[in-house]
Amino acid sequence: MTNTNQPLPQAPAMTEQDNAETLCEQVRQAYRERSPLRIVGGDTRAFYGRAVEGRTLSTSEHRGIVHYDPVELVISVRAGTRLSDLEAALAHHNQMLPFEPPRFGEASTIGGAVATGLSGPRRPWAGAARDFVLGTRVITQEGKLLRFGGEVMKNVAGYDLSRLMAGAQGTLGILSEISFKVLPRPNATHSLRLTMPIDEALKKLAELGRKPLPITAAAWHDGGLHLRLEGGQSSVKATHERLGGDHLEASFWQELRDHSLSFFQGTGDKALWRLSLPPNSGILALPGIQENEVLYDWAGSQRWVKTSLDAETLRRLCQEAGGHATCYTAHQDGGASEPFTPLNPVVAKYHRNLKRELDTYAIFNPGRLYAEL
């Protein structure tokens, strides 16, 4: 068992630069010329979603912490700030971003993490990225820098555009600054591995989910159920003694988060899919897919599948189970032409109306989510 309540590291030096006005001017020019923009930060998530054709607008030079109050557990940071720098600054105060944003490279930025709305292994127990966004500063289609939300959790004044930006992939405006609720790091942590087949693992997870245990990550991979216990010393110790199992290196969860596990390397001519299913879903019968081609995360609610199965069949089977499927290798050979599950007509209408209202001339990452958005 690891005690995380250790002497704090030296606060890292971070390059700070306010590049907002330059970004606003680039947007104003694009608006005048009706010219599409391809918005990037570290450009480490370009694989996610549909390819965008347009002039590159980079937020990578717009970086730094604007405000940080460790006592109030609130931090405001510019969108181009690297995730590694932000998390190091939080660790200096023994705090963290609870949703564990994935990094897909050293250049990964916090703006990209929010824009894609992706969360790591802790997501089912802590919440998603948008749950911790308190407010934002957004560059609108006219090149204006506007503030939405604030720095408190209870904020009910007006439309919650800040959380709407999480997962919009830059199609509604450019994130300039984001304010987050952060949390203290757990006092103790321990990771373990229980050898068992997947059917037993899913039953075990359903059983554990009905009990007040300090589980903050659960995945099945390579014949074993992997669990992370976090919380108070006594609670983690007691749960560890109760469950037993083999010691698991904590780095497993970072490798799973960042897709650096061997499972994610070299998919060959097969596409990598993310299946999102309801809690306590059973094994999904997928034609031609071997057990070692599936990795279960989020206690089984998120499943990574390597397959050459056609998109229509895979999505139909996933939908029948109450879920949806996203292709993570859409830009590669064998990937789906549409990365995301098509929207039903009613939802698609609202998406189009919102896009038209906030981005009349489709200058912000046009087509990144869907062809018409």
Side-chain angles (χ1 to χ4, degrees):
M1 181 171 62
T2 302
N3 181 356
T4 60
N5 192 15
Q6 298 175 347
L8 299 178
Q10 181 69 27
M14 184 186 302
T15 303
E16 301 198 3
Q17 182 173 330
D18 185 348
N19 208 31
E21 183 51 40
T22 299
L23 296 174
C24 287
E25 179 52 40
Q26 289 179 267
V27 172
R28 286 192 286 267
Q29 180 182 349
Y31 184 75
R32 290 192 300 267
E33 298 173 354
R34 313 294 193 254
S35 175
L37 295 171
R38 176 179 176 267
I39 305 163
V40 301
D43 208 19
T44 59
R45 296 172 174 80
F47 66 88
Y48 188 66
R50 302 171 80 251
V52 174
E53 297 294 333
R55 185 192 315 151
T56 298
L57 182 149
S58 174
T59 64
S60 61
E61 298 302 314
H62 183 61
R63 56 185 181 266
I65 294 174
V66 179
H67 172 72
Y68 182 23
D69 189 337
V71 175
E72 295 295 331
L73 300 173
V74 170
I75 190 167
S76 297
V77 61
R78 296 188 183 102
T81 305
R82 290 193 175 190
L83 269 173
S84 55
D85 291 338
L86 174 57
E87 291 177 336
L90 291 171
H92 177 69
H93 293 275
N94 207 30
Q95 294 177 351
M96 63 180 184
L97 292 169
F99 57 97
E100 276 185 301
R103 303 182 198 173
F104 298 108
E106 186 57 33
S108 185
T109 66
I110 187 59
V114 174
T116 53
L118 302 178
S119 304
R122 192 180 280 108
R123 188 257 183 264
W125 294 270
R130 62 166 42 90
D131 298 325
F132 294 92
V133 174
L134 301 177
T136 57
R137 298 191 77 187
V138 177
I139 300 175
T140 68
Q141 60 180 337
E142 298 91 353
K144 298 178 181 178
L145 185 60
L146 301 182
R147 183 182 296 277
F148 299 93
E151 292 187 342
V152 294
M153 287 300 288
K154 186 176 182 180
N155 191 336
V156 295
Y159 194 71
D160 196 354
L161 187 63
S162 291
R163 291 190 176 93
L164 188 65
M165 297 295 289
Q169 297 205 68
T171 60
L172 302 178
I174 298 176
L175 284 166
S176 170
E177 182 182 312
I178 311 109
S179 297
F180 295 97
K181 178 74 172 180
V182 299
L183 292 180
R185 296 167 70 191
N187 289 328
T189 179
H190 178 77
S191 295
L192 58 93
R193 182 184 190 277
L194 301 169
T195 302
M196 61 178 66
I198 182 55
D199 54 343
E200 290 184 20
L202 291 175
K203 292 177 182 177
K204 185 73 171 177
L205 288 168
E207 173 193 337
L208 296 176
R210 293 191 290 268
K211 299 174 182 178
L213 300 176
I215 296 175
T216 62
W220 185 89
H221 171 58
D222 195 23
L225 175 59
H226 303 66
L227 297 173
R228 181 175 62 192
L229 311 176
E230 291 182 326
Q233 287 277 359
S234 59
S235 177
V236 170
K237 184 174 184 292
T239 306
H240 171 211
E241 292 174 348
R242 172 183 172 181
L243 295 176
D246 300 321
H247 173 74
L248 176 69
E249 292 296 331
S251 58
F252 171 83
W253 303 109
Q254 284 75 51
E255 293 172 0
L256 172 58
R257 176 196 70 187
D258 300 338
H259 287 194
S260 57
L261 285 174
S262 59
F263 174 87
F264 296 101
Q265 309 306 313
T267 57
D269 60 351
K270 296 185 177 182
L272 176 66
W273 287 82
R274 172 188 179 268
L275 310 187
S276 180
L277 297 170
N280 300 323
S281 295
I283 297 174
L284 196 62
L286 301 174
I289 298 178
Q290 304 300 315
E291 188 176 84
N292 63 358
E293 294 176 323
V294 184
L295 188 154
Y296 294 69
D297 193 9
W298 294 3
S301 292
Q302 176 171 261
R303 302 178 187 183
W304 299 100
V305 179
K306 294 184 289 189
T307 179
S308 55
L309 197 64
D310 66 277
E312 183 178 356
T313 300
L314 183 60
R315 286 190 166 124
R316 176 177 55 79
L317 293 172
C318 199
Q319 187 175 22
E320 289 173 355
H324 62 270
T326 302
C327 185
Y328 265 57
T329 50
H331 299 177
Q332 300 178 18
D333 292 340
S337 58
E338 289 293 343
F340 304 108
T341 299
L343 301 172
N344 70 56
V346 174
V347 175
K349 175 184 175 181
Y350 285 115
H351 275 251
R352 285 194 299 271
N353 290 346
L354 182 62
K355 174 71 170 177
R356 192 177 301 116
E357 184 71 23
L358 298 179
D359 186 15
T360 306
Y361 301 115
I363 63 172
F364 294 134
N365 274 357
R368 182 72 186 266
L369 283 169
Y370 298 96
E372 67 273 22
L373 299 177

